[in-house]
Amino acid sequence: MKDILLKVDNIIKRFDNNTVLNGISFDVHKGEVIVVVGPSGCGKSTLLRCINALEPIQGGSITLEGETINPADKNLTALRQKVGMVFQSYDLFPHLSVLRNITIAPEKVQKRNPKEVEKEALALLERVGLRDRANSFPRELSGGQKQRVAIVRALCMNPDLLLFDEVTAALDPEMVREVLDVMLNLAASGRTMIIVTHEMQFAKAIADRVIFLDAGQIVEEGDPISFFEHPQTDRAQKFLNTFEFESVKNHEK
Amino acid sequence: MPDLGLDVLLKGKNLARLLGGLGVAMRISMIAVVISIPLGIILGALMTWKNPVIKAILRVYLEVIRIMPQMVLLFLFYFGTTRAFGIDISGEMASIVVFTLWGTAEMSDLVRGALIAIPVHQYESAEALGFNRMQTYRYIIIPQTVRRLIPLSINLITRMIKTTSLILMIGVVEVLKVGQQIIEANRMVSPNAAFGIYLAIFMLYFFACWPISMLARYLENRWRV
């Protein structure tokens, strides 16, 4: 087994009296792609936000390469650079060009050489097919293009772990594919990723392991084939059934 | 061709006097602008704080100033303070105080609006990229706020310049008052002076405010977010 990159140990997350995550534990190995699925409000997004220290946790621990992730920590910026996150609402910085959106953090946070960063950013844009939009502004891009830029922005920090929070949920259907293809390429190149998604076909294709979350707990966990084809628990079966449509045409025959 | 009374403009020092009057109006509005913009930025930032006491006080201040017509405020400060507190301030001083109070209130509301218009996701994306708090404000939040704010505050400046036409009511001799004086003085020799003088005043206000609105429009297009 490869090295453990991220260790989530029995975490508890509460908003006031509402427990959103109730004792979640799992490990992520280097190069592994984890897909988290579950009904709305089950805590999937909150889980990602806790991993990136956007939310404080009330119990348990999250460690990245042995270092504890804690929102109150002084070393938070250092840790955050190792974790890239892409949000549902492709929130590029509207006042900056596409290229600047990508290069500003490596330059200002990581203090890297601007020329070098720009070269890397352009190469990454090339890979997602947006090299010619480098000088455009976010308002001139489609949703799918913005989301691809947001992915490049996260990548350019050279993170060890990438988090995707329902990145296609706000997109028009015809733009979903171009974003998912970028993610499939990343998985193929051996990136470690945790993906929250409602695209079940995509989940099946990309996941090394699927985690099914319901009511703040891990209900089922396993490889995608057995999870999607032979779910062990009732709750997982019920959840997966909501994505199936029974044909009504045969009934009349 | 009817007599438009334009000849009065060229008599004696009339044109220079009008320009002097405009100078007074510009001086008052510019002093008020210079004080109220930084004050408005501070108060506007305070309004976004969670402290309910500060919020309530600022809210009351903003509403009171906005609801009261500027003329009433001018009368209150010029005539009211003299009688009630025995403070003898000049008309120009009273005007500066009133315009500053008004400008600060309007500016603070613009700043508050620009700040809360920045979605929380902008802060979170910046944080997720490893920016610390200072860097988030410096590179992400403030540039966006300023871009939203500049066209709006330029608009406020032209409104403040135009509103100085009220201060003749408290005896400040600004451009409109000078115009009236010239018209009165020439009543017998040039009864049509009113048209020429008011036309000249219109042009003076126009050339004082027009470049400022042009600048606002230019920046608005350039910085569309």
Side-chain angles (χ1 to χ4, degrees), chain A residues 67-242:
Chain A
E67 286 184 76
T68 307
I69 295 181
N70 172 6
D73 197 339
K74 285 261 188 304
N75 288 326
L76 193 59
T77 20
L79 267 171
R80 281 229 177 98
Q81 292 170 39
K82 296 184 185 168
V83 183
M85 183 154 179
V86 185
F87 298 85
Q88 176 181 338
S89 51
Y90 27 90
D91 19 42
L92 300 177
F93 305 128
H95 62 298
L96 301 176
S97 70
V98 164
L99 186 61
R100 198 69 191 127
N101 257 283
I102 300 165
T103 57
I104 189 162
E107 258 178 52
K108 303 296 178 192
V109 178
Q110 296 180 323
K111 315 274 183 223
R112 284 163 57 195
N113 178 336
K115 283 261 174 298
E116 207 178 278
V117 174
E118 191 175 313
K119 228 175 105 188
E120 188 183 340
L122 290 172
L124 286 167
L125 279 173
E126 180 87 59
R127 259 176 63 191
V128 301
L130 290 173
R131 172 69 181 76
D132 56 328
R133 305 313 299 268
N135 295 313
S136 303
F137 278 83
R139 63 172 180 271
E140 298 161 344
L141 304 182
S142 72
Q145 289 173 328
K146 281 187 220 177
Q147 202 54 292
R148 283 184 280 162
V149 173
I151 294 173
V152 169
R153 183 172 70 178
L155 276 178
C156 207
M157 296 291 284
N158 296 316
D160 297 331
L161 173 66
L162 278 168
L163 309 175
F164 293 89
D165 186 10
E166 297 192 36
V167 291
T168 58
L171 295 179
D172 288 337
E174 70 269 26
M175 289 169 184
V176 169
R177 185 68 201 224
E178 64 191 49
V179 175
L180 296 184
D181 281 340
V182 168
M183 290 162 71
L184 283 166
N185 278 330
L186 291 175
S189 64
R191 290 272 177 183
T192 315
M193 311 199 273
I194 302 178
I195 302 169
V196 167
T197 186
H198 282 297
E199 304 282 339
M200 293 303 146
Q201 291 300 318
F202 168 71
K204 203 165 158 182
I206 200 169
D208 292 318
R209 188 147 50 101
V210 178
I211 290 175
F212 174 62
L213 219 58
D214 192 12
Q217 286 177 316
I218 295 181
V219 176
E220 196 167 331
E221 188 178 352
D223 70 278
I225 305 293
S226 39
F227 175 75
F228 285 106
E229 280 159 24
H230 316 285
Q232 301 299 308
T233 56
D234 286 350
R235 276 197 277 179
Q237 258 163 25
K238 221 172 137 197
F239 172 71
L240 289 172
N241 279 339
T242 61

Side-chain angles (χ1 to χ4, degrees), chain A residues 49 52 54 77 80-81 83 85 87 89 91-96 101 104-105 108-109 111 139 153-154 157, chain B residues 121-132 135 138-141 143-144 147-148 221-225:
Chain A
R49 293 170 61 84
N52 204 12
L54 288 170
T77 20
R80 281 229 177 98
Q81 292 170 39
V83 183
M85 183 154 179
F87 298 85
S89 51
D91 19 42
L92 300 177
F93 305 128
H95 62 298
L96 301 176
N101 257 283
I104 189 162
K108 303 296 178 192
V109 178
K111 315 274 183 223
R139 63 172 180 271
R153 183 172 70 178
M157 296 291 284
Chain B
H121 277 123
Q122 289 289 318
Y123 294 86
E124 288 187 346
S125 316
E127 266 184 69
L129 285 167
F131 283 108
N132 62 30
Q135 288 172 321
R138 178 162 166 212
Y139 296 113
I140 309 302
I141 305 304
Q144 288 184 51
R147 276 167 169 75
R148 281 167 203 263
N221 279 328
R222 202 172 145 194
W223 284 347
R224 210 152 31 101
V225 282

